Amino acid sequence: MLVSDVHFPKDLTEALDILRKRPGTLVYAGGTDILREQASRGLELPAELIYVRDLPELRRAGLTERFLEIGAAVTLSEILELGEAALPPLLAEAIRGVASPTIRNLATIGGNLASRSRFMDSWPALACLDALIELRDQGGATWMNVNRLVGADGRPAFPEGALLTRVRVPIERWDAWLLRKVGLSDYPAPETAVFAFSARAEKGILVEVRIAFAGESALRSQALESSLIGRSLPLSPRESSSIASEYRGLASEFGDNLSLQFGALVDGALGLLSR
Amino acid sequence: MVYVATVRSPSARGSIRSIRFPRLPAGYRSILPADIPGRNRIQSFGAEVPILAHDKVSYAGEPVALIAGPDPVLLEELAAATKVTCDEEEPYLNWESFSSDQVAVKRVAVVGDPDLAFSIAASVFEESYTSGAIEHYYSEPQGAAAAYDYDKIAVWSATQWPYHVRDSVALALGCRAEEVSVRPTRLGVHLDGKLWYPSLLACHAAIASIACGRPAKIVLTREEDFRFSPKRARSSVNVRAALGSSGLLSAMDVRIAINVGAYGPLAEEIVSQAVLACTGAYACPNLRVEGYAVVTNTLPAGAFGGLGASHSLFAVEAHANRMAAAAGEDPADWKSRNVLRKGSPLLTGEPMGEEVPYEAILSSLAAASDYRRKYACYELVRKRRSGRSDGPLRGIGLSFAYQGAGPFLSGDASNSYTVEATLDKDLKVRILTSAAGGAGLVMDVWRQSAAQILGVEIESVSIAVPDTDQVPDSGPSTLSRNVSVINRLVVRACEAVQKRRFRDPLPLTARSVYRVPKPIKWEGGQVSGSPFDTAAWAGAVVEVELDSWTMEPKPLGIWLCVDGGQVVSPERAAASLRSGVADALGACLCERFSPSEAAAPGSAYFRYGLLPLQALPPISIAFLPQGRRAPVKGIGELPFDTVPAAFLSALSQAADSSFSCLPVPYARIFGALETP
Amino acid sequence: MTISLILNGEDVSAKVRSVDRLADLLRDTFHLIGLRSDCRCGRCGRCLVFLDGRLVPSCIIPAFAARGKEVVTIEGYAQTEDYADVKAGFADAGVSTCGFCEESKIMAAGALLERRPRPTPREILEQMSSAPCRCTDPDAIVKAVLAASDRRARRLYRRAGQ
């Protein structure tokens, strides 16, 4: 059993300083993903870790006209408590489906996005909403679209060495949205994934559509989305099922069940636009 | 005090070549088979289970050694650092088809002339139904503690059978049974997962205590318990049924294979019960049934909410529903025609002695669930549907089954069980029975019986804690026995007290002894006895909808109607049945235990969870009204005997397919719905 | 490392290793055996504590994360009026549990009522899934929490009236 060095920075500056001096230090907030599959009595933690859960800069949440900003160490429960007026329904629905209320009291949005092993429940919703994450390191701060957290192989590609500090969710009007968790399990398993969809229409023309699906891998196709934009609504059943099967083709690495479910969900979501 | 950690076999089958412990600090010691003072085995219903595997290992995870010491944290590490190497052999894993040396128990019965009946049958249907393994997820993971208490060894154990613990520990320590005192701790909901395994852990604790000269405690974590304690046995039931031109069941040929894992401690009981239940609630004049308990090199497996009947009841009901659907008939009518009646021939050769309340139960269920109309409607939609998105994907299933008298525990030493009742000077009554652990609601039944006979308030009746120094051996506590056997003994003991009451001074104590006369006998293909003695009957209706996008089954409603005889407290009984229904539904939907996955450390344990409460549909429980002299019956197993088959049939209708195992993998549902 | 925290209202400190789970610290060092560290994955609900007012599974929290915080275990919570309301609500509804999950369920109910004084049945069932048990009757548990909600409301009204 390796006993770790635990750093308790009192603010973000101190935290970044520690990360600069000791790159590779594990960032620890809620810890629910880090400790997810550890059954031994003693925790298995790396040699060094930095506890960021209480950093004041990571604990704020605020709403402006244009976006909702949430600190990385804000818990999933706290996000839900921001209320319907502040929270985009797609995101609220995604977070509501995570684990159980007690785990949501512990898990943070930053941790939910920073998982290295798979995509967690908030990613598809945030991807559809084109949310941005702020990454801080010795060079400064950059904002990155969450869609760039997906590697070329569809697997998580979280930038190493950077600290996720804030999430910024654009506030936009959506005419239709759908969020579905797939796989009858409240635990992130190979057969679970989350589907997110949002769309906007003007004068019967589809002007914006976003479709994201993620479990162990993630999928969002701007090419297919572009091919839908500009079409007049309602889409014909043939159009919907044609797009759905293209998506299904892209999703083959998810396995039989998930790719079939994904295709059906795309079809169903597009069907919402027909009403 | 010392804690005890278990060193386990990494191999499913083989011989132990070496066990290499890490350097053990002072105060820590290893315990090997040679350290067992008495015999290195537990005896359980005819099977023998090693306390610590010596030379041969029979399943991955089998205990081969123990380490005892004061710090549980360090212990865990020491156990993990211990290297066990085995000369591996090819493990026996097949069980749906198996070799004869894997057969631990075989039960055969033949009635009438099935071959002839099949040859002249109007139609024949055959299908195999499989039930998967389920984790008990009881209220508390297993464990035990042991310590010297003057001249005795005291053992603390959460067990359904304190006397089995006592006798097992005595055998292991090589002492007399009277020198062991078992003090039961709170049992909670056990779902029959604590019948014999607690005795194994008790032996571990006792041996460690003797070896270290200190009190010793072994406690499994949920993860260890999940991976290494016995689970519900997997089963495969092949049913071939013949119908005459009138739609009456004329013959059945049933082959039951139950995977009891390594050693198969409850094999005899489970196979016997499964075979007895192989025709379900139906009259079948010609029958051949073969039941096999198949031993494999996997975790020992056995009881779960009953001991064996549910495997057959699931298959028979699913099959009956399928036959009805194939003939374009509502299963309710099929059942009506074929259900047992007074005088119907039973597989035991005797005629059925009582009426079966099928019509009354059906009537209640149909009214509550609107079953008839829904079944017809969903059949119509199913036949006309052209694709996944054409119409709601709904189904409704009906099942009808019973909970019998319970395990007969044939094959064990005395078959003689005792209950004691005492009426003291303050007119307070104490009942002493070893079956009190985890008896829950049934204790109210005993108290009611005592109160009625002795003319006291039920509040004056108490049930003693089943400490083996205080209470007699009444056998184990199981859902059915607690009513069929124990309650009778309570009644007799109280009657004996009542008889002497006005002659002799108080306090008065009476014992009643029941020698179970091997109620079911198996002899060369013939079975005799009365399996329906005090059987409780129930019907279940399950309505299911498939999400049209994700194809995931969503239960819409569950209705259970029970003929439970005299129900002492209907509200509490209904609450208990509702939680049983929730548990049965979990087994249908999301609880899947794979012994091979669980043997290795990893996510199988983390992924296993009970069905979240918010996913439950409305559950409605109804009891048939009873006459005043209705007997008391055990009803706790009924949800497991009825809900799965009704669920399977509902799902099959919704997906327009014929499923035959639970849970159904999504790929199968998709496949069924995608093909036009 | 040595950490200080407020445990059931008292200032305490303890030596902890980074690998220690909070649940084990509470049980072994502080002998608060009302909680258990069984599942080690935050699922079974037997290790629930209030951490800075939030109900969390202490088995998946490192002991060091309690540094400087307020921890209330069932031993502390059982002294509160919130607990009394819930316990009485369970009795009103005639809920009988297996005995093992009762305290976890009471804490879960209490935590819910604090934030949602009038919860819907669905909210109740979701919250009670934080303490899953084979013995749970969904109807009874909803009744119990609604009864507790009534009691709590009456108590707070009385207090407001004074």
Side-chain angles (χ1 to χ4, degrees):
Chain A
M1 160 189 45
L2 183 66
V3 174
S4 319
D5 235 323
V6 181
H7 302 279
F8 293 96
K10 62 179 183 314
D11 57 31
L12 184 56
T13 314
E14 206 185 315
L16 291 170
D17 197 45
I18 294 168
L19 284 170
R20 182 179 57 84
K21 293 202 185 95
R22 306 163 127 90
T25 305
L26 176 71
V27 173
Y28 197 105
T32 52
D33 191 48
I34 293 167
L35 298 187
R36 191 149 57 85
E37 294 204 351
Q38 293 195 16
S40 56
R41 194 185 152 108
L43 301 173
E44 283 155 35
L45 294 168
E48 294 213 44
L49 67 99
I50 176 169
Y51 187 66
V52 301
R53 163 64 171 75
D54 301 324
L55 293 180
E57 299 89 338
L58 268 44
R59 296 278 302 143
R60 300 185 188 125
L63 180 68
T64 71
E65 258 182 39
R66 288 175 30 235
F67 51 76
L68 168 67
E69 196 170 282
I70 311 171
V74 174
T75 67
L76 300 184
S77 294
E78 288 166 337
I79 295 176
L80 288 175
E81 284 162 16
L82 292 174
E84 279 178 20
L87 206 49
L90 197 63
L91 182 60
E93 188 69 17
I95 292 178
R96 238 178 255 133
V98 173
S100 67
T102 48
I103 298 218
R104 292 199 292 268
N105 280 344
L106 206 52
T108 62
I109 186 72
N112 202 265
L113 282 170
S115 175
R116 307 308 203 265
S117 59
R118 60 171 286 138
F119 293 89
M120 302 301 247
D121 291 2
S122 67
W123 185 86
L126 290 170
C128 274
L129 297 170
D130 267 341
L132 302 173
I133 52 172
E134 182 189 45
L135 296 161
R136 307 266 313 241
D137 61 16
Q138 58 201 90
T142 45
W143 285 92
M144 183 174 98
N145 191 305
V146 299
N147 284 284
R148 294 195 27 220
L149 288 172
V150 186
D153 57 356
R155 297 275 297 134
F158 195 88
E160 295 306 328
L163 178 65
L164 170 62
T165 46
R166 290 186 284 181
V167 180
R168 196 178 267 178
V169 186
I171 302 292
E172 296 177 88
R173 191 204 92 235
W174 296 99
D175 294 316
W177 65 271
L178 180 67
L179 189 109
R180 276 300 178 84
K181 192 158 172 173
V182 168
L184 242 172
S185 172
D186 57 348
Y187 184 81
E191 69 267 14
T192 65
V194 174
F195 172 86
F197 164 89
S198 50
R200 191 158 58 236
E202 268 162 38
K203 296 188 172 56
I205 304 283
L206 191 57
V207 297
E208 191 65 67
V209 67
R210 317 256 178 90
I211 299 179
F213 190 61
E216 298 201 313
S217 302
L219 174 60
R220 186 175 161 198
S221 165
Q222 258 125 355
L224 283 176
E225 287 170 9
S226 304
S227 76
L228 279 166
I229 288 173
R231 297 200 197 190
S232 54
L233 296 172
L235 299 174
S236 71
R238 212 162 37 83
E239 273 177 297
S240 288
S241 55
S242 158
I243 287 280
S245 54
E246 286 203 72
Y247 267 107
R248 202 160 81 200
L250 288 178
S252 55
E253 88 247 27
F254 283 84
D256 287 341
N257 282 353
L258 283 176
S259 55
L260 279 170
Q261 287 175 306
F262 179 42
L265 282 163
V266 171
D267 204 1
L270 293 174
L272 289 179
L273 296 172
S274 315
R275 298 176 202 170
Chain B
M1 163 133 99
V2 292
Y3 292 87
V4 183
T6 313
V7 176
R8 300 178 183 275
S9 164
S11 309
R13 183 167 176 240
S15 0
I16 302 173
R17 202 183 327 139
S18 69
I19 304 178
R20 257 195 291 275
F21 294 93
R23 195 189 71 78
L24 297 178
Y28 292 78
R29 62 159 295 172
S30 63
I31 293 162
L32 292 161
D35 299 309
I36 298 175
R39 308 262 262 288
N40 182 7
R41 62 173 178 271
I42 304 248
Q43 275 165 340
S44 187
F45 309 102
E48 294 195 340
V49 180
I51 294 172
L52 292 174
H54 175 63
D55 184 37
K56 295 244 173 285
V57 294
S58 303
Y59 65 97
E62 181 170 12
V64 303
L66 305 171
I67 305 179
D71 181 354
V73 182
L74 184 53
L75 262 186
E76 226 181 88
E77 286 172 30
L78 293 171
T82 304
K83 295 274 171 290
V84 181
T85 37
C86 298
D87 291 322
E88 294 189 345
E89 289 169 57
E90 194 65 41
Y92 282 111
L93 296 175
N94 284 334
W95 59 283
E96 279 160 286
S97 64
F98 47 85
S99 73
S100 56
D101 41 332
Q102 285 177 265
V103 177
V105 176
K106 179 175 173 178
R107 286 277 186 257
V108 174
V110 179
V111 178
D113 190 342
D115 292 325
L116 177 61
F118 273 109
S119 65
I120 59 173
S123 54
V124 174
F125 291 85
E126 184 168 359
E127 186 57 74
S128 259
Y129 299 90
T130 4
S131 298
I134 305 169
E135 149 74 358
H136 297 84
Y137 211 93
Y138 20 60
S139 301
E140 181 192 42
Q142 302 218 30
Y148 265 114
D149 187 12
Y150 294 101
D151 53 347
K152 292 197 183 190
I153 276 271
V155 176
W156 289 266
S157 171
T159 171
Q160 291 171 248
W161 200 351
Y163 274 86
H164 189 264
V165 173
R166 188 194 71 161
D167 296 342
S168 303
V169 170
L171 190 68
L173 298 184
C175 65
R176 290 177 300 118
E178 293 70 38
E179 292 174 278
V180 178
S181 167
V182 177
R183 297 171 194 176
T185 61
R186 182 189 286 171
L187 195 46
V189 174
H190 52 73
L191 289 178
D192 289 328
K194 296 190 175 179
L195 270 170
W196 66 269
Y197 199 74
S199 303
L200 179 69
L201 293 179
C203 287
H204 287 175
I207 291 160
S209 179
I210 300 280
C212 301
R214 312 255 288 277
K217 182 167 167 179
I218 181 167
V219 176
L220 301 184
T221 60
R222 270 276 176 210
E223 192 238 2
E224 250 185 306
D225 193 302
F226 176 84
R227 292 173 60 204
F228 304 120
S229 75
K231 305 289 166 246
R232 183 185 199 232
R234 289 172 287 175
S235 68
S236 172
V237 180
N238 186 279
V239 184
R240 193 162 152 252
L243 296 175
S245 48
S246 51
L248 280 173
L249 195 53
S250 63
M252 280 176 78
D253 189 334
V254 184
R255 182 182 170 281
I256 303 167
I258 301 194
N259 183 346
V260 291
Y263 308 112
L266 288 162
E268 207 179 295
E269 195 57 47
I270 292 176
V271 172
S272 303
Q273 294 262 339
V275 168
L276 280 174
C278 75
T279 52
Y282 306 113
C284 183
N286 302 287
L287 168 71
R288 176 183 297 110
V289 55
E290 287 177 7
Y292 299 89
V294 180
V295 166
T296 55
N297 292 113
T298 56
L299 206 51
F304 182 96
L307 273 86
S310 60
H311 297 278
S312 291
L313 294 171
F314 167 67
V316 172
E317 277 307 279
H319 201 64
N321 290 345
R322 185 175 301 191
M323 284 194 279
E329 185 182 19
D330 185 331
D333 297 325
W334 192 100
K335 290 180 213 289
S336 202
R337 191 169 56 245
N338 284 290
V339 78
L340 286 163
R341 294 183 158 68
K342 195 162 177 176
S344 295
L346 295 178
L347 95 114
T348 53
E350 290 162 22
M352 178 68 170
E354 26 195 76
E355 285 302 336
V356 170
Y358 172 70
E359 297 300 333
I361 285 178
L362 173 66
S363 182
S364 165
L365 281 175
S369 66
D370 201 11
Y371 166 79
R372 293 260 192 204
R373 190 188 60 82
K374 286 178 181 170
Y375 182 83
C377 170
Y378 298 154
E379 267 304 278
L380 210 58
V381 170
R382 176 185 73 80
K383 287 182 193 145
R384 293 188 182 168
R385 196 191 302 141
S386 57
R388 195 179 9 96
S389 27
D390 181 16
L393 302 165
R394 288 197 184 168
I396 192 163
L398 169 72
S399 71
F400 182 69
Y402 62 91
Q403 176 176 338
F408 308 107
L409 305 168
S410 42
D412 245 76
S414 66
N415 264 0
S416 155
Y417 302 118
T418 306
V419 166
E420 194 178 292
T422 298
L423 177 64
D424 70 17
K425 292 204 182 107
D426 306 320
L427 296 185
K428 294 255 190 303
V429 184
R430 276 184 82 222
I431 311 270
L432 283 75
T433 166
S434 67
L441 280 192
V442 180
M443 288 200 281
D444 285 348
V445 172
W446 303 337
R447 292 168 72 218
Q448 170 92 308
S449 300
Q452 270 172 1
I453 294 167
L454 294 167
V456 299
E457 294 298 317
I458 195 172
E459 289 74 28
S460 313
V461 184
S462 66
I463 316 286
V465 171
D467 180 325
T468 55
D469 283 349
Q470 312 292 335
V471 306
D473 186 3
S474 327
S477 174
T478 74
L479 294 168
S480 10
R481 275 188 96 253
N482 286 350
V483 176
S484 61
V485 175
I486 308 298
N487 190 54
R488 274 201 214 152
L489 289 175
V490 168
V491 164
R492 286 208 215 143
C494 292
E495 282 171 348
V497 168
Q498 182 68 355
K499 258 197 177 155
R500 294 162 47 197
R501 184 175 176 175
F502 298 103
R503 282 193 334 241
D504 302 335
L506 297 176
L508 277 174
T509 296
R511 289 187 147 215
S512 76
V513 180
Y514 180 44
R515 230 158 243 111
V516 178
K518 282 246 180 155
I520 299 292
K521 293 193 189 60
W522 304 84
E523 262 163 309
Q526 303 297 322
V527 185
S528 57
S530 37
F532 290 106
D533 201 18
T534 70
W537 298 88
V541 170
V542 176
E543 190 179 354
V544 150
E545 180 176 74
L546 289 176
D547 183 291
S548 52
W549 296 331
T550 63
M551 296 309 119
E552 286 167 7
K554 254 184 345 230
L556 296 178
I558 304 191
W559 297 261
L560 192 71
C561 177
V562 173
D563 176 1
Q566 207 193 109
V567 176
V568 171
S569 169
E571 260 187 47
R572 291 184 64 189
S576 175
L577 286 173
R578 265 193 301 268
S579 78
V581 169
D583 295 335
L585 196 59
C588 296
L589 279 169
C590 64
E591 292 188 47
R592 195 185 67 87
F593 181 89
S594 158
S596 54
E597 280 175 29
S603 45
Y605 162 67
F606 298 101
R607 283 192 275 147
Y608 197 101
L610 304 185
L611 196 60
L613 292 172
Q614 65 271 24
L616 291 171
I619 300 171
S620 106
I621 312 283
F623 294 101
L624 282 192
Q626 301 291 318
R628 285 196 60 215
R629 302 195 57 90
V632 183
K633 301 181 181 180
I635 57 175
E637 296 167 18
L638 288 168
F640 299 106
D641 294 330
T642 54
V643 169
F647 177 88
L648 188 75
S649 301
L651 188 59
S652 299
Q653 183 179 48
D656 190 12
S657 181
S658 298
F659 300 122
S660 51
C661 74
L662 282 175
V664 184
Y666 291 147
R668 298 270 314 278
I669 303 181
F670 267 105
L673 285 160
E674 290 286 302
T675 31
Chain C
M1 68 194 98
T2 303
I3 60 166
S4 303
L5 58 144
I6 306 171
L7 179 56
N8 291 330
E10 271 185 51
D11 288 313
V12 302
S13 63
K15 275 190 78 171
V16 307
R17 298 169 299 188
S18 61
V19 300
D20 292 331
R21 297 178 189 259
L22 179 59
D24 293 323
L25 171 71
L26 295 171
R27 261 187 79 91
D28 300 335
T29 306
F30 292 104
H31 310 296
L32 294 164
I33 57 172
L35 63 87
R36 303 170 60 121
S37 183
D38 281 342
C39 77
R40 297 181 179 165
C41 58
R43 256 180 189 265
C44 75
R46 299 291 158 84
C47 68
L48 294 175
V49 301
F50 288 96
L51 182 63
D52 279 352
R54 291 282 184 174
L55 192 66
V56 288
S58 62
C59 70
I60 52 169
I61 299 175
F64 66 71
R67 178 184 184 259
K69 300 201 174 134
E70 219 179 304
V71 174
V72 177
T73 67
I74 183 63
E75 287 84 355
Y77 190 64
Q79 313 300 319
T80 65
E81 289 174 310
D82 288 332
Y83 174 92
D85 286 335
V86 178
K87 194 149 170 101
F90 275 40
D92 292 343
V95 165
S96 60
T97 68
C98 62
F100 287 99
C101 61
E102 181 151 345
E103 310 274 76
S104 310
K105 286 192 152 80
I106 293 179
M107 292 176 89
L112 176 67
L113 292 176
E114 219 181 288
R115 288 182 201 275
R116 295 288 265 178
R118 293 300 202 186
T120 64
R122 198 195 153 85
E123 286 169 338
I124 293 172
L125 290 175
E126 198 187 9
Q127 178 75 355
M128 300 317 279
S129 284
S130 305
C133 187
R134 287 289 196 198
C135 78
T136 313
D137 165 22
D139 290 9
I141 214 72
V142 168
K143 253 177 86 181
V145 179
L146 292 175
S149 159
D150 285 341
R151 282 184 172 264
R152 186 172 180 277
R154 282 199 298 273
R155 169 171 61 90
L156 294 174
Y157 266 133
R158 275 199 305 271
R159 176 154 315 151
Q162 283 159 3

